[in-house]
Amino acid sequence: MRDAVGFTRGSSPESTRAARFVAAALGCLVLAGCAGQSTSPPAPTQAASNPVPPTSATYSPGLCSAAAEFQTAANAIVSLDARSVGTGGVKKALQDMATAANNLAAAAREQFGPQVAELDDAVASLKGTIAGLNSQDSVSANLGKIAASVGVVEQAAEPIVDSVRTGCPAVPRVETPPAS
């Protein structure tokens, strides 16, 4: 089944990662309200490590909750309209994602050590991007950097969230940008 960005769901981990990166980048295009500008998203960074699923499909309620919180925050960025929420709203959405990613890392650290280290690095980069946003012009000017930061966080969280989703049905699915 094809999703909204033209990738086949469930075909391979690489295509899923690519679809999420494209969705994050497209979400940032909506986020910055710059669909008419010719800003191309940067190439994806090295893909996150393959997930090392725990030996048990049982996850703690805290990990399930953190994964759901993260996916909800990531999905919110996809549909964000920067023109209506302004710079403050954009920063808040990115900060919410960073906070949710930190909570996910804390909850997953014991079961997903190597993936958590990658997520920690990605969140640090996202926080640096957030710090540079102080006006609507800075949001537009930093669109590529925002897309890259969001994409890296998504890629780093993906192996954790996808593994947890198998044992925690309340974790939402990845949303793609609405077709325009």
Side-chain angles (χ1 to χ4, degrees), residues 6-175:
F7 290 91
T8 304
R9 290 191 185 265
S11 61
S12 73
E14 291 79 20
S15 67
T16 301
R17 278 188 203 91
R20 287 193 179 162
F21 179 78
V22 170
L26 291 174
C28 285
L29 288 173
V30 171
L31 169 104
C34 298
Q37 292 185 358
S38 62
T39 304
S40 58
T45 59
Q46 180 70 11
S49 306
N50 288 331
V52 179
T55 56
S56 169
T58 303
Y59 298 98
S60 72
L63 182 53
C64 290
S65 176
E69 175 191 5
F70 174 80
Q71 193 60 64
T72 299
N75 287 347
I77 289 175
V78 171
S79 61
L80 189 66
D81 179 4
R83 289 185 180 155
S84 64
V85 300
T87 303
V90 170
K91 285 180 81 169
K92 180 177 181 336
L94 294 173
Q95 289 166 339
D96 288 350
M97 182 183 203
T99 298
N102 281 333
N103 293 343
L104 177 62
R109 196 165 308 279
E110 186 175 307
Q111 291 176 302
F112 295 91
Q115 291 81 15
V116 169
E118 290 181 35
L119 183 55
D120 287 338
D121 290 344
V123 171
S125 176
L126 177 61
K127 287 180 178 180
T129 300
I130 294 168
L133 303 177
N134 51 22
S135 69
Q136 192 66 33
D137 289 339
S138 70
V139 170
S140 296
N142 288 301
L143 179 60
K145 191 172 184 178
I146 293 168
S149 292
V150 168
V152 169
V153 172
E154 277 279 331
Q155 284 181 335
E158 180 182 22
I160 300 168
V161 174
D162 284 352
S163 291
V164 171
R165 187 177 282 119
T166 64
C168 304
V171 177
R173 290 279 166 214
V174 174
E175 290 184 17

